[in-house]
Amino acid sequence: VQLQASGGGLVQAGGSLRLSCAASGRTLRNSVMGWFRQAPGKEREFVAAIRWSIGNTVYADSVKGRFTISRDNAKNTVYLQMNSLKPEDTAVYYCAAGYGAILSEMRLIRAYDYWGQGTLVTVSS
């Protein structure tokens, strides 16, 4: 699977961005698609994930109520709508695809087999 993330940029606190992750090379039908982020000097952390087949989602507590993950079957693309952005959301955002992960594993980096190149989100105060 090849993953191409896009949509990052510079936004003021309180603003919104929508990230996209286009997938190719393998069906996503049996996958879990996730978004992770990595801020400078910090470890990569889970943001949100969606099970492609049935659409159930999980979120990190830090983004719950502000971010929404969704997918478009026809476009083989997963989105991350980010609202009410805060300076602490500043990071490189990565999308990832995993096959075989169970629900309880969707927050774990090790559950994902393929990673996109990352897109930078900068939130100014």
Side-chain angles (χ1 to χ4, degrees):
V1 175
Q2 290 79 47
L3 302 173
Q4 182 70 41
S6 61
L10 174 64
V11 63
Q12 288 188 332
S16 298
L17 281 175
R18 188 178 78 157
L19 305 184
S20 300
C21 177
S24 61
R26 183 176 176 180
T27 178
L28 297 179
R29 188 171 59 241
N30 299 316
S31 74
V32 170
M33 297 295 295
W35 286 97
F36 289 75
R37 66 187 182 187
Q38 189 165 16
K42 295 188 177 182
E43 294 186 351
R44 192 170 298 190
E45 65 175 5
F46 171 78
V47 175
I50 185 168
R51 183 170 293 279
W52 194 272
S53 58
I54 58 176
N56 64 317
T57 58
V58 292
Y59 295 92
D61 288 343
S62 59
V63 306
K64 200 173 294 182
R66 299 189 297 123
F67 291 10
T68 303
I69 189 171
S70 62
R71 84 255 195 254
D72 185 322
N73 288 317
K75 296 183 178 180
N76 238 28
T77 298
V78 64
Y79 302 99
L80 185 68
Q81 178 66 44
M82 306 186 294
N83 299 328
S84 302
L85 282 162
K86 304 175 182 180
E88 51 263 44
D89 295 317
T90 295
V92 176
Y93 283 70
Y94 299 90
C95 61
Y99 293 84
I102 60 177
L103 184 61
S104 62
E105 295 175 332
M106 290 169 68
R107 299 172 182 267
L108 304 178
I109 290 176
R110 68 169 186 259
Y112 296 85
D113 306 296
Y114 304 94
W115 292 82
Q117 84 286 2
T119 184
L120 176 63
V121 173
T122 304
V123 184
S124 63
S125 57

